[in-house]
Amino acid sequence: MAIKKSELYSSLWASCNELRGGMDASQYKDYVLVLLFIKYVSDKYAGVPFAPITVPKGASFKDMVALKGKTTIGDDINKKIIAKIAEANKLTGTIDVADFNNSEKLGSGKDMVTKLTNLIAIFENPSLDFSSNRADGDDILGDAYEYLMRHFATESGKSKGQFYTPAEVSRIMAKIIGVGNHATASTTVYDPTCGSGSLLLKVADESEKGLTIYGQEMDVATAALARMNMILHNNPTAEIKQGNTLSTPLFLDDKNRLKTHDYVVANPPFSFKSWSNGVDPVNDPYDRFSGYGVPPSKNGDYAFLLHIIRSLKSKGKGAVILPHGVLFRGNAEAEIRTNIIRKGYIKGIIGLPANLFYGTGIPACIIVIDKENAENRKGLFMIDASKGFEKDGNKNRLREQDIHKIVDVFNKQLEIPKFSRMVSVAEIEEKEFNLNIPRYIDSQEAEDIQDIEAHLMGGIPDADIDALGQFWDVYPSLKKELFAKSDRKGYSSIKVKDDAIKQTIFAHPEFVAYTKKIDTVFTGWKNKHTPLLKKIDGKTKPKKFIHQLSEDLLDTFGDLRLIDPYDVYQHLMTYWYSTMQDDFYLIVSDGWKAGNELVWEKKEFEGKLIPKQLMIYRYFSGEQKAIEQLEADRDALTAQLEEMEEEHGGDDGLFAELEKVNKANVAKRLKDIKSEKDAADERKVLEQYLALAEKESEAGKKIKDAQSVLNDKLIAKYKAMSENDIKTMVVDDKWMATIEHTVKNEMQRISQRLTQRVKDLSDRYAIPMPTVSSDVVALERKVNAHLQKMGLIWK
């Protein structure tokens, strides 16, 4: 039975994190990811002839499992498992960077044995079976690795999280440098600061035939991580070398010059202070600085950029993440920037939100390099994407809609006010080659300016009404229904009362027609894709499927006004990651029969694929309403009991003798005073309480019995549902109903925005200042008159 992917990854992280102890996440990741690597190659290649990775006899994950509980477990993992695999595959210095016999990190004696035994047990999860999976970005492994890397980067702290470029940024870079289906396996991609290699892999994924991968990384452990990452993602021939790229570049041609590539991507360390160690920029043997200038000795941003430019072929394309400062800093950097722009190498710049990256919180940008036809380039395409993100813990994160919009706008060179524009080199030259994005794109929201004349003389400024032009384009006559021209030029008056504004808008024929149009458009998309969703089977590729589904949704809403297609797209993708993805993988793994299965926790159950509440809504709404009525009746009795406790509580109340007011204590008290003549009133109240308590207990039993009957019916129904029943429940009642609800909510949000703005304008200028002043004077006179009558003030 398959486990939901999200549950698997979260439990994997929680288990690993629990065992970490006092070790820093940046170190602990090496142990966890080595185990993931051993598990993968064992499942995938053990016993397979001519496999790209050799798993020697006695060195598989199963052999590692056999070491659990042994006092020599740490040393045996090192020597009997890891060392043998490393030696057989020339991976020495790669998978053996983590010492599994290190007592300082893993504890000594029994502590080490327990920790390593439990760590191995985590990877014994049957759901972590890679034997039938390829690491093609659509399987359990690629996502598990991505999940762990993101969490390790988050936990590693400011100075140690730089091994990982957020996947969202990597995806943007991969899609804007122009890798297409024309690329072949011999097409090369290079990352001079490759970290764990995630950026390289995202670029390689853009080509169906794959790419030839080259990467260099200065940190020993991170370079090892990258080598493992390549193998885990089915790129075992990728060349990852360890060393300082600027002082000792390791990818050279036969003439000892820098090897050039079709594509180069990088996320170098920001403002690297010691970049010039071992570098002679004046006599650089690799000719990286000639014709540009020498970067500042304590800031390596332009050193990396020039290395990238020099590493590109004559028609090569690249993208590099750098801090915003490279766009406007002066002196030596200004000279280099000017020379790069004049050569036409910069195709575009994308400003990103602050606090995206794990090593720093400062805002960064993507500089897109394109040498092809550079000499004829007359402008740079700029995007200010700094406003589009969501909070994710203590970091910011690009949403799916942000990624898609950036890629679409850049690749199509679409000019959108406050977001993107083509900037001529001539204009840049006028601004002294300063590329600071706010100089060219004003992304600030327009200030809501108060109109003094309107406050003094009344009326609503036409400028504020006209600012709602996107609504009037869709509802042209609605404007006339809401507003009337006033006698003063440039001002209008509201025609409806505040409490009638919403009704006027929502009942207007143009509004109703547009809402129906949205429903019709969605229904067309739903009818097109519902049959396809019901054909999901074991051959379906979930990521490919959701890509097609979401792209068609984006296209479907692309030509509509008011509603932003990227917002609709985001709703679908949010639901995909929260729910649909898990459902897809369950169906692909277990088939539609997963809809018959239940998950039990203690005595409670839930449908594995179909929520219990959805089943109740479709098949047992009558029974549920009956239970709700029983609960309402019981709650009424409970309220009466609480009212009696309140009425007769306190020191002087009839319940004063009771330590606690409950059924047992009341019954005992009633028995004690049964024969007392002067306790008639108390007996009456106690008897009333007991009668109500008995009714409450009976009501509770009825609810329990009814719930038990309903549960029996639910369990029977789950078991009896046919495949068609399940498909209807999952596709129609669960997926499509949820997506449709979010689309309608988006339309509701847009409509509420118009309603609220009209109300705000009406309220703001409803009473002119002279009227307010006059009212204040009149009220002051009334107050003074009352005070005078009271003798508190004198004439």
Side-chain angles (χ1 to χ4, degrees):
M1 184 186 297
I3 186 173
K4 290 184 177 181
K5 290 182 73 177
S6 59
E7 292 175 2
L8 173 63
Y9 303 148
S10 59
S11 64
L12 182 63
W13 168 254
S15 301
C16 292
N17 202 35
E18 188 175 319
L19 295 175
R20 192 174 87 205
M23 197 188 313
D24 185 88
S26 63
Q27 297 174 319
Y28 188 63
K29 75 177 187 304
D30 299 332
Y31 292 90
V32 172
L33 296 174
V34 164
L35 277 183
L36 184 65
F37 178 84
I38 299 296
K39 178 70 167 70
Y40 171 72
V41 297
S42 297
D43 287 353
K44 189 75 177 172
Y45 300 123
V48 178
F50 310 111
I53 300 295
T54 300
V55 181
K57 189 174 182 180
S60 71
F61 181 76
K62 290 181 180 178
D63 299 302
M64 188 183 287
V65 171
L67 300 175
K68 290 195 312 181
K70 291 189 176 182
T71 56
T72 58
I73 184 171
D75 193 49
D76 287 345
I77 289 175
N78 283 343
K79 295 177 180 178
K80 295 182 179 180
I81 309 292
I82 295 175
K84 287 186 177 180
I85 292 177
E87 183 179 354
N89 297 282
K90 297 181 180 180
L91 291 173
T92 301
T94 297
I95 63 171
D96 52 0
V97 292
D99 181 3
F100 281 79
N101 202 34
N102 188 323
S103 59
E104 291 183 6
K105 294 180 179 179
L106 296 168
S108 59
K110 187 177 179 181
D111 286 344
M112 178 186 287
V113 173
T114 301
K115 182 167 286 189
L116 290 176
T117 295
N118 291 340
L119 190 57
I120 292 170
I122 292 170
F123 290 89
E124 286 186 274
N125 189 324
S127 296
L128 276 174
D129 181 4
F130 306 126
S131 58
S132 60
N133 285 294
R134 286 186 64 243
D136 59 1
D138 194 31
D139 71 329
I140 197 170
L141 175 67
D143 291 344
Y145 188 89
E146 189 75 42
Y147 186 94
L148 290 172
M149 288 297 286
R150 180 184 290 277
H151 279 71
F152 279 129
T154 302
E155 297 289 322
S156 289
K158 184 174 181 180
S159 63
K160 298 178 181 178
Q162 295 183 10
F163 56 81
Y164 177 71
T165 301
E168 297 81 16
V169 181
S170 296
R171 285 165 55 195
I172 290 173
M173 296 172 73
K175 291 180 180 297
I176 62 176
I177 59 175
V179 180
N181 292 330
H182 61 276
T184 66
S186 62
T187 303
T188 63
V189 59
Y190 165 60
D191 186 342
T193 57
C194 69
S196 59
S198 59
L199 179 51
L200 280 169
L201 289 168
K202 286 290 187 295
V203 177
D205 283 345
E206 289 299 303
S207 171
E208 292 184 3
K209 300 173 184 177
L211 300 174
T212 298
I213 296 174
Y214 299 94
Q216 185 164 339
E217 168 58 37
M218 187 162 63
D219 184 77
V220 175
T222 305
L225 202 63
R227 293 190 190 104
M228 284 192 290
N229 199 2
M230 295 300 137
I231 295 170
L232 289 171
H233 288 81
N234 206 39
N235 287 282
T237 60
E239 289 190 49
I240 304 295
K241 297 184 178 182
Q242 186 272 318
N244 186 324
T245 292
L246 295 179
S247 64
T248 315
L250 297 175
F251 292 102
L252 307 173
D253 63 17
D254 52 6
K255 294 182 180 179
N256 212 38
R257 299 173 304 191
L258 286 184
K259 182 179 178 64
T260 56
H261 305 271
D262 298 293
Y263 301 99
V264 179
V265 289
N267 178 18
F270 288 0
S271 305
F272 189 42
K273 294 185 183 302
S274 56
W275 76 269
S276 58
N277 290 351
V279 179
D280 181 1
V282 177
N283 300 299
D284 180 40
Y286 309 109
D287 196 29
R288 291 172 289 190
F289 310 108
S290 177
Y292 300 98
V294 177
S297 60
K298 297 297 184 182
N299 192 319
D301 293 329
Y302 272 100
F304 284 109
L305 181 56
L306 292 175
H307 178 88
I308 288 167
I309 290 173
R310 184 66 185 84
S311 299
L312 282 167
K313 292 179 179 179
S314 61
K315 294 184 179 181
K317 307 173 196 306
V320 56
I321 302 167
L322 290 172
H324 257 273
V326 301
L327 302 177
F328 54 79
R329 290 194 298 249
N331 301 320
E333 291 185 312
E335 178 189 351
I336 298 171
R337 183 171 59 247
T338 299
N339 289 327
I340 295 174
I341 294 170
R342 281 179 170 157
K343 287 180 180 290
Y345 288 159
I346 300 179
K347 180 180 181 180
I349 297 167
I350 301 170
L352 298 171
N355 202 27
L356 282 183
F357 299 91
Y358 294 97
T360 179
I362 65 174
C365 62
I366 300 173
I367 296 182
V368 185
I369 306 295
D370 189 353
K371 283 189 173 181
E372 187 173 11
N373 203 32
E375 64 278 6
N376 296 318
R377 185 161 286 123
K378 302 298 181 184
L380 281 65
F381 191 76
M382 289 189 177
I383 292 178
D384 185 343
S386 60
K387 303 292 192 296
F389 62 89
E390 64 182 352
K391 296 296 294 182
D392 184 13
N394 63 350
K395 305 300 292 182
N396 294 332
R397 186 173 177 180
L398 294 172
R399 300 164 296 179
E400 290 297 315
Q401 70 182 96
D402 302 320
I403 298 167
H404 209 305
K405 184 176 181 179
I406 291 169
V407 172
D408 284 349
V409 169
F410 189 88
N411 287 343
K412 297 174 184 177
Q413 305 277 278
L414 302 174
E415 293 195 298
I416 300 175
K418 295 186 175 295
F419 187 76
S420 62
R421 64 175 288 233
M422 177 63 75
V423 181
S424 70
V425 174
E427 182 179 351
I428 293 169
E429 187 170 0
E430 287 176 5
K431 292 182 169 62
E432 299 178 330
F433 294 93
N434 185 315
L435 295 177
N436 197 17
I437 296 174
R439 288 194 171 208
Y440 305 95
I441 300 174
D442 178 12
S443 63
Q444 297 300 314
E445 292 296 325
E447 187 178 351
D448 188 10
I449 299 173
Q450 301 278 345
D451 189 293
I452 302 300
E453 184 179 337
H455 279 300
L456 291 173
M457 303 180 67
I460 298 173
D462 287 344
D464 285 330
I465 299 172
D466 293 341
L468 297 169
Q470 59 175 327
F471 293 100
W472 313 139
D473 288 343
V474 178
Y475 315 131
S477 65
L478 175 60
K479 180 180 177 182
K480 295 179 181 179
E481 184 122 353
L482 292 169
F483 302 102
K485 285 292 182 182
S486 69
D487 296 335
R488 287 176 25 252
K489 185 179 180 181
Y491 294 87
S492 297
S493 60
I494 188 80
K495 292 171 66 175
V496 297
K497 294 181 179 179
D498 276 6
D499 57 5
I501 290 175
K502 182 177 179 179
Q503 175 62 23
T504 302
I505 293 173
F506 280 57
H508 193 273
E510 290 170 349
F511 180 91
V512 173
Y514 182 74
T515 302
K516 288 181 179 178
K517 182 178 181 180
I518 296 295
D519 290 342
T520 301
V521 168
F522 179 81
T523 300
W525 177 84
K526 179 175 71 173
N527 292 341
K528 177 181 177 180
H529 292 283
T530 294
L532 301 176
L533 286 165
K534 291 180 179 180
K535 291 180 181 179
I536 299 169
D537 58 23
K539 296 179 182 179
T540 302
K541 292 289 185 182
K543 288 184 179 177
K544 185 176 180 180
F545 197 106
I546 188 58
H547 175 75
Q548 295 170 342
L549 193 70
S550 61
E551 289 299 309
D552 193 61
L553 183 66
L554 191 64
D555 290 343
T556 298
F557 281 84
D559 294 331
L560 292 171
R561 294 182 176 183
L562 284 186
I563 196 164
D564 187 337
Y566 291 103
D567 287 334
V568 179
Y569 170 84
Q570 180 63 41
H571 287 308
L572 172 58
M573 296 309 296
T574 298
Y575 185 54
W576 167 258
Y577 286 116
S578 68
T579 303
M580 281 184 74
Q581 177 180 232
D582 281 337
D583 292 347
F584 256 72
Y585 279 91
L586 273 177
I587 296 167
V588 169
S589 175
D590 293 356
W592 291 95
K593 66 178 183 180
N596 298 121
E597 297 173 1
L598 301 174
V599 178
W600 289 85
E601 186 172 345
K602 296 181 180 180
K603 293 183 179 181
E604 295 297 320
F605 67 89
E606 183 56 85
K608 191 168 187 180
L609 186 59
I610 302 172
K612 185 164 60 177
Q613 282 304 122
L614 203 60
M615 290 281 284
I616 291 172
Y617 180 79
R618 175 172 271 271
Y619 294 111
F620 305 107
S621 59
E623 289 87 338
Q624 182 62 30
K625 286 180 181 177
I627 291 173
E628 289 170 357
Q629 183 58 54
L630 290 173
E631 289 173 338
D633 295 342
R634 180 204 55 198
D635 292 344
L637 292 168
T638 302
Q640 291 180 55
L641 288 170
E642 290 173 350
E643 188 177 334
M644 288 188 71
E645 290 179 34
E646 181 70 24
E647 181 182 353
H648 301 290
D651 295 338
D652 299 327
L654 296 177
F655 292 156
E657 299 296 326
L658 301 176
E659 182 178 341
K660 185 177 181 181
V661 182
N662 56 36
K663 191 175 178 181
N665 287 343
V666 169
K668 184 177 181 301
R669 175 64 180 168
L670 185 61
K671 184 178 180 181
D672 292 342
I673 63 171
K674 190 173 183 179
S675 59
E676 295 181 13
K677 293 182 179 180
D678 57 351
D681 290 342
E682 185 180 356
R683 281 199 301 272
K684 183 178 179 181
V685 170
L686 295 177
E687 287 169 353
Q688 288 176 348
Y689 184 93
L690 284 177
L692 283 173
E694 185 62 30
K695 288 181 179 179
E696 184 190 41
S697 296
E698 290 174 1
K701 185 176 183 303
K702 288 180 180 178
I703 293 169
K704 188 176 180 181
D705 291 343
Q707 190 64 60
S708 178
V709 171
L710 176 56
N711 286 344
D712 289 342
K713 289 182 177 180
L714 279 167
I715 292 169
K717 187 62 181 177
Y718 271 111
K719 292 179 180 179
M721 277 199 303
S722 67
E723 185 170 300
N724 284 335
D725 291 336
I726 295 170
K727 288 179 177 181
T728 298
M729 289 288 293
V730 174
V731 178
D732 296 332
D733 294 2
K734 185 180 181 181
W735 293 346
M736 283 300 181
T738 301
I739 298 167
E740 184 170 7
H741 179 70
T742 61
V743 172
K744 288 184 176 180
N745 279 350
E746 184 61 31
M747 189 60 218
Q748 188 80 3
R749 185 183 67 82
I750 293 168
S751 304
Q752 292 288 1
R753 193 170 74 225
L754 172 62
T755 302
Q756 189 58 50
R757 182 57 177 168
V758 173
K759 280 186 176 181
D760 289 344
L761 291 174
S762 177
D763 291 343
R764 178 181 295 175
Y765 302 112
I767 306 175
M769 188 62 68
T771 304
V772 173
S773 299
S774 177
D775 289 345
V776 169
V777 171
L779 288 171
E780 185 180 10
R781 286 174 181 165
K782 285 186 178 180
V783 171
N784 287 338
H786 284 298
L787 292 174
Q788 187 176 354
K789 286 180 180 180
M790 295 168 65
L792 296 175
I793 63 171
W794 293 266
K795 291 184 179 179

